[in-house]
Amino acid sequence: MSSQNQLFKPDGKNSIHDGIEHSPSGGKALIDPTDTVLLLLDHQTGLFQNVKDIAVADLRRNTTALAKLAALIDLPLIITASIPEGPNGPLMPEIQQVAPHAVYVPRRGEVNAWDNALFVKTVRETGKKTLIIAGVWTNVCVMFPALDAKAEGYNVYVVIDASGDPSEIASRTTLARFTQAGVIPTSANAVICEMHRTWNRPDAAQLAELYCMASPSYQAVMESFNKAQEVEDAKQTNNGPKTTRSTTPALAAQSR
């Protein structure tokens, strides 16, 4: 059982269960990890060649971070591709490499994954009512199923920086349509944070590594912190007894 399953319970409260007293209103407005499934749609190598609103390297890194998060916290993950043997190309291999538990659903040519009966059946069978979706292109492969799922009563989040569009204007108009329909735009970093919720957990170090993927500059924060601690340790060794340093999971994670 993952630490995520121990920290959160499917009681609708979305509160942290780590033996510490927390505010009862904390988490009410956040994604509930016990009611969520991750959908990664059409991250295909051919489509990547037409992505212009985000660097493809960033898109792939953020998508991989989400897949790693799903594997780390036992989050259901469903993936699919539209005609992978055609010009859109195969799925990026990183997803299944880091998340072997991912369920792949083949399609029969449907552009909209929600038009595929097996795909919708697979989503429904998870029993989850919150969908986190990312894919390429945002204005087609993500938007179509996101709108259909929202109309069916799901809570839908779209990870904009793990998705990509052929132009900035396509991305902006898609965002406008999402907000009008009640689909919530978010980022890979925000999703990791909402699933994370506390450093008081045994997988804090692995989560810190995911932050470095979604926000590479965070690695510089960790390196600066570690170097400052090394300098302080050297001073204490030369000048007398060491002072007691914090050993919280957050700092333990950052010193990995």
Side-chain angles (χ1 to χ4, degrees), residues 70-213:
L72 178 63
I73 65 174
D74 295 335
L75 192 70
L77 169 56
I78 300 171
I79 59 177
T80 187
S82 61
I83 313 297
E85 66 274 14
N88 287 356
L91 284 171
M92 56 181 279
E94 297 97 311
I95 296 173
Q96 288 171 300
Q97 288 169 359
V98 302
H101 76 298
V103 176
Y104 174 74
V105 178
R107 306 211 302 274
R108 298 181 176 182
E110 302 94 339
V111 173
N112 177 6
W114 213 260
D115 277 329
N116 182 277
L118 178 59
F119 180 83
V120 176
K121 178 176 181 287
T122 304
V123 173
R124 289 174 179 161
E125 287 178 346
T126 67
K128 313 297 185 182
K129 295 299 291 182
T130 299
L131 310 182
I132 298 175
I133 307 178
V136 181
W137 295 326
T138 318
N139 71 333
V140 179
C141 303
V142 175
M143 185 172 70
F144 292 0
L147 295 180
D148 278 344
K150 181 63 180 177
E152 194 168 318
Y154 286 90
N155 303 312
V156 183
Y157 293 77
V158 170
V159 189
I160 299 301
D161 60 357
S163 306
D165 258 331
S167 68
E168 289 283 352
I169 190 64
S171 182
R172 290 198 296 270
T173 55
T174 302
L175 273 171
R177 193 167 176 185
F178 281 152
T179 55
Q180 289 170 352
V183 172
I184 303 171
T186 188
S187 66
N189 193 66
V191 170
I192 296 168
C193 287
E194 289 192 58
M195 299 292 104
H196 176 182
R197 292 283 296 282
T198 177
W199 286 108
N200 187 34
R201 51 190 297 165
D203 55 2
Q206 293 98 312
L207 285 160
E209 292 170 0
L210 296 183
Y211 286 122
C212 293
M213 294 181 68

Side-chain angles (χ1 to χ4, degrees), residues 42-52 56 59-60 81-93 136-137 141 164-166:
D42 302 343
H43 286 91
Q44 296 171 253
T45 56
L47 293 176
F48 285 156
Q49 297 175 50
N50 293 303
V51 169
K52 304 300 180 184
V56 172
L59 190 165
R60 294 182 75 140
S82 61
I83 313 297
E85 66 274 14
N88 287 356
L91 284 171
M92 56 181 279
V136 181
W137 295 326
C141 303
D165 258 331

Side-chain angles (χ1 to χ4, degrees), residues 245-252:
R245 291 191 337 197
S246 173
T247 57
T248 64
L251 298 187

